[in-house]
Structures are given as C-alpha cells and as structure tokens.
Amino acid sequence: MKKVYKFSRMFKPFAVLSIALIISGVIAVAVRGINFGLDFQPGFLQEIRIAPTAFSVSYTGAARVSAELSPSSLSFVVTGAGADNTTKTYAFSQYPAVSDLIAAITGADGVPGLTAAAVAQEAVQSRELFVNSAVSAVLTDAPYRFYYADALSHYTADDVRNALSGIEGVSVKELGEAADDAYQIRIPSSGAAGENELMQTQVSQALLGAFGAENVAVIKTDFIGAQFSGSLVWQTSLLVIATLVLIWIYAAIRFSWDFALGAVLAVIHDALIMITFIAWTQMEFSTTTIAAILTIVGYSINATVVVLDRVRTNMKTLNVSKFSDILDNALSSTLSRTIYTTVTTLLAVISLYVFTTGSMKDFALALIVGLISGAYSSMYISSAIIAYIRRSWKPTDELKPAPAYRRSSFDAEFSE
C-alpha cells in the first residue's frame, strides 16, 4: 500500500498564501493597472522594420506600372491606355542576387521607362527583400525602395522609443531577433475623428526624421475602433462566465454540488493568479492571453476531476472517521500522475517560451504560470474547499468499505 501524505495539514497555510497572492493582484491592478493590448482598447497599431535600402526603382513612362513582391519573385504589372497590358516577373531562383535582379530589370527585356539603381554596397540576396506597405506600389519618378535585413545596422527598441518620445502614450515592443527584428508601435486612442490619421502622420514623421526614409519600412498598420474593443471585452467576459457555468453543471452532475463548488473556485483561483502575474509583470493582456487562460482552465479542471473521481471512489471503500483522510488518500494516490503530467507539459511549454518571440512567448509564459497554479489548486484549493464544507462529515453504512473491492483499470492507470 502506498504511503498516504497528510496534504490536509497544509490546506489552511496554502489557502492563506493564495488569498495573499490574489490580494496582491488586486493591489497591482489598482496601482499599475492592466496592460491591455489594442484588442481591448481603441488605438493605433503599427509594425515597422528599421533596415537599409537594397535598391530602388522609378518609372517615367505614360503607362501605369505597379510592383508586386512575393517570397519567390518580383513582378511589374503594366496597364493603361495605349500600353500593352503585360506582367514582367523575375523569379528569385533565376536571379538570386539583387545585382542579377537589377541587371534583368534594366536590360533589353525590361519594362520601357523603368529604371533601377543599387543602393547597398554588399551582395544582397533577392529573397531577403521587403517593401514599405505605407508607400503606394504604383511606380512614379520618385524612388520606390526595396529593403533588406542587415545585421550590421541593428537598432534596439530603445532607439525606436527615443525617436517617438514626443508622442504621448506610445509603447514599443521588439519582435524577432538580430537582423530579422521588427518593432510593434502602439498608441491608445480616444476615438476622436481623424485621430488615427494624425497618429500615423506623427509616427511617420518621427521615424523618418530619426532614421531616414531609406531605412524605415512599415510592415502593417491597424486601427482598432472603440466599438470593436468594447464588444470584445463583453464577449470575452461572457465566454469566461459561460465556461465556469458549464464546469459547475458538469461537476455537479458527475459528483455533487460541493465538489462542483471546489472545482469552480479552483479554476477561478488559477485565473486570478494568472491575472496577478500579468498585472505585476505588465505583460500585454490580449486575445492570446485569454487563450492561455482558457487553456489553463481546461487543464486545471481535468486535473481536479481526476482527484475528485478518486475521492468518490475512496468514499465507498475507505473506513475513516474524517473526510480529510479521504482527501489525503485520494491526493496521495494521484500525486505521481499530477507530477508526471505537469512536468512533461511544462517541458514542452518551456521550449516554446525559449525558442519563440513576441505574443507566442507571452502565451508560453502565461501557460507556465498557469500550469504550476493548476497543479497546485487541484491538490490544495479545491480539496481545501471540500474539506471545509464537509468538516462535520460522518461515515454512514453505505460509505463503509465493500467486502470485495476490485481495482479498476482507471485506478491502475492513475495511481502510478
């Protein structure tokens, strides 16, 4: 027979610890607030890269020529009255270097009136090219630039913050690493008419003034409206409440009302612990964070149900005088299962945290905190609540051990 650990002795100390952590989270939210992402508040969101120009093209003809860059080729689409509607495509497999690409563009088979000029002094691969999405792809006599990632001209998020220091409420987050890095710029908005366009102009002027037009490429720009962000908050709240209600109904039907209460409060505990962590660290609270919280809700309730199922089985087979003894036995028999599943899942999530960046890294960090909290709450929080509700519990005839209890396959699987 396996050793039974007295988990119940730590119910009160850990309950006090959890209450203290949650209170600290309330203080953090009141003092520091929640760092809501633009999913939950109106504002301006732009992703940029600071990188040098590889080459530029310009057009002086009468037709309409637009550039289209894909991961595998560069195309020029020629349209307009009096012009042959054609598309010139230059595959990077055929022109792997930018020098080869420029030679083909300016060659005899190129688009008449289209010129290209190299800017970079080094060999640049065609597949490394990207463009500024904020600039029209319709070519004129003004240079249309193609940029490339250069490890020697690496900037930091602090450099971008300093360039935008004159804009109120701006925040900058670095995405990627080394030469492939990008920067996410966020500015909250009051929703006033024309405010987003003004923000875009201010950001553009500040960046171009600090780094030069030949070194700034906008990858994408988004505007989040107040109505959208408000509806998202409401829908998220309904989603979480509906999840808790369904968990309550499931646990109440499968077990009993006090077991259901312990399971739901344990899940709420895990969510509050994660919010406490998010508030103190100022991690961005976004839809990715909501996904992490709901993932942990599912993980936590699964771990709790395993313990509750063992408790229900022990109520029929153990002859004890206190309900806490039943809980101790159930927790001891499922301890190895809890440790194995938590550790193996943590290994995968830690790898995700180490080898990813941006929102995925935040998602993994939130999961790490949630996994630890979920294992802890399934053993101590839900069990402590049930023990308190059944503190006056007394064994009855139907709870006495059956004369011939046969170990089930479920017991064999989760007692190891």
Side-chain angles (χ1 to χ4, degrees):
M1 182 176 182
K2 287 196 170 186
K3 181 179 180 180
V4 176
Y5 300 96
K6 293 295 182 180
F7 289 92
S8 57
R9 293 177 181 175
M10 298 300 296
F11 284 169
K12 290 182 180 179
F14 280 128
V16 172
L17 174 63
S18 292
I19 292 172
L21 288 174
I22 292 171
I23 291 175
S24 75
V26 173
I27 294 173
V29 171
V31 175
R32 309 188 65 180
I34 298 291
N35 181 24
F36 285 106
L38 284 182
D39 296 335
F40 293 94
Q41 63 177 351
F44 167 81
L45 178 67
Q46 189 172 76
E47 183 179 327
I48 67 164
R49 295 184 69 174
I50 310 297
T53 299
F55 74 102
S56 64
V57 297
S58 58
Y59 178 70
T60 55
R64 185 180 188 273
V65 180
S66 58
E68 296 181 357
L69 181 67
S70 74
S72 60
S73 66
L74 171 61
S75 299
F76 295 101
V77 181
V78 183
T79 58
D84 293 333
N85 294 334
T86 60
T87 299
K88 294 285 187 179
T89 300
Y90 304 92
F92 296 152
S93 58
Q94 187 176 356
Y95 308 103
V98 166
S99 56
D100 301 327
L101 197 60
I102 293 174
I105 293 172
T106 56
D109 194 37
V111 178
L114 183 66
T115 59
V119 178
Q121 301 300 315
E122 58 183 272
V124 178
Q125 295 298 303
S126 300
R127 294 183 183 276
E128 298 177 2
L129 298 174
F130 56 91
V131 296
N132 187 345
S133 65
V135 176
S136 172
V138 177
L139 304 183
T140 64
D141 56 355
Y144 181 80
R145 296 179 174 86
F146 293 86
Y147 302 84
Y148 72 103
D150 180 16
L152 299 179
S153 60
H154 175 66
Y155 293 90
T156 66
D158 288 336
D159 296 326
V160 180
R161 291 189 190 98
N162 292 335
L164 302 173
S165 59
I167 302 176
E168 184 179 357
V170 67
S171 64
V172 178
K173 182 178 182 179
E174 188 168 359
L175 309 174
E177 296 179 354
D180 294 325
D181 57 3
Y183 306 94
Q184 184 186 79
I185 300 169
R186 297 172 49 235
I187 307 175
S189 170
S190 62
E195 186 177 21
N196 287 331
E197 290 75 12
L198 177 60
M199 290 178 184
Q200 188 172 11
T201 301
Q202 289 177 331
V203 169
S204 177
Q205 291 176 348
L207 292 175
L208 296 183
F211 304 107
E214 68 280 3
N215 294 316
V216 178
V218 176
I219 305 303
K220 63 180 180 179
T221 302
D222 293 316
F223 301 102
I224 308 298
Q227 184 176 1
F228 172 77
S229 59
S231 64
L232 186 59
V233 170
W234 174 247
Q235 291 171 3
T236 300
S237 301
L238 287 179
L239 176 63
V240 173
I241 293 173
T243 301
L244 294 176
V245 170
L246 291 175
I247 289 174
W248 168 277
I249 294 173
Y250 165 77
I253 293 175
R254 180 168 180 179
F255 302 107
S256 61
W257 73 269
D258 53 345
F259 282 27
L261 179 62
V264 169
L265 290 181
V267 167
I268 294 174
H269 164 274
D270 295 334
L272 292 177
I273 292 296
M274 291 183 69
I275 291 174
T276 297
F277 177 80
I278 290 168
W280 279 117
T281 60
Q282 288 295 287
M283 179 192 297
E284 183 178 273
F285 192 89
S286 62
T287 50
T288 302
T289 312
I290 293 295
I293 292 176
L294 292 178
T295 300
I296 292 305
V297 165
Y299 180 90
S300 178
I301 193 62
N302 177 68
T304 302
V305 163
V306 171
V307 174
L308 296 182
D309 194 86
R310 182 56 56 86
V311 171
R312 183 177 58 178
T313 300
N314 288 350
M315 289 171 62
K316 300 176 183 178
T317 59
L318 294 181
N319 186 13
V320 294
S321 59
K322 295 187 299 182
F323 199 81
S324 59
D325 293 334
I326 294 177
L327 291 170
D328 288 338
N329 191 284
L331 291 170
S332 298
S333 60
T334 58
L335 178 61
S336 59
R337 182 262 182 199
T338 300
I339 293 174
Y340 293 154
T341 55
T342 302
V343 170
T344 52
T345 308
L346 273 175
L347 290 175
V349 176
I350 290 173
S351 298
L352 192 65
Y353 175 77
V354 172
F355 296 108
T356 60
T357 59
S359 59
M360 186 58 65
K361 194 179 190 74
D362 289 343
F363 176 76
L365 182 58
L367 283 183
I368 291 172
V369 175
L371 286 169
I372 296 172
S373 175
Y376 159 77
S377 67
S378 66
M379 291 191 297
Y380 289 104
I381 303 303
S382 61
S383 300
I385 293 168
I386 296 170
Y388 177 77
I389 295 174
R390 299 207 177 195
R391 60 191 181 278
S392 301
W393 175 88
K394 298 295 181 184
T396 58
D397 291 337
E398 62 268 22
L399 298 179
K400 290 181 180 179
Y405 170 64
R406 179 179 242 174
R407 197 179 186 204
S408 68
S409 60
F410 179 89
D411 293 337
E413 179 182 355
F414 290 110
S415 64
E416 296 299 328

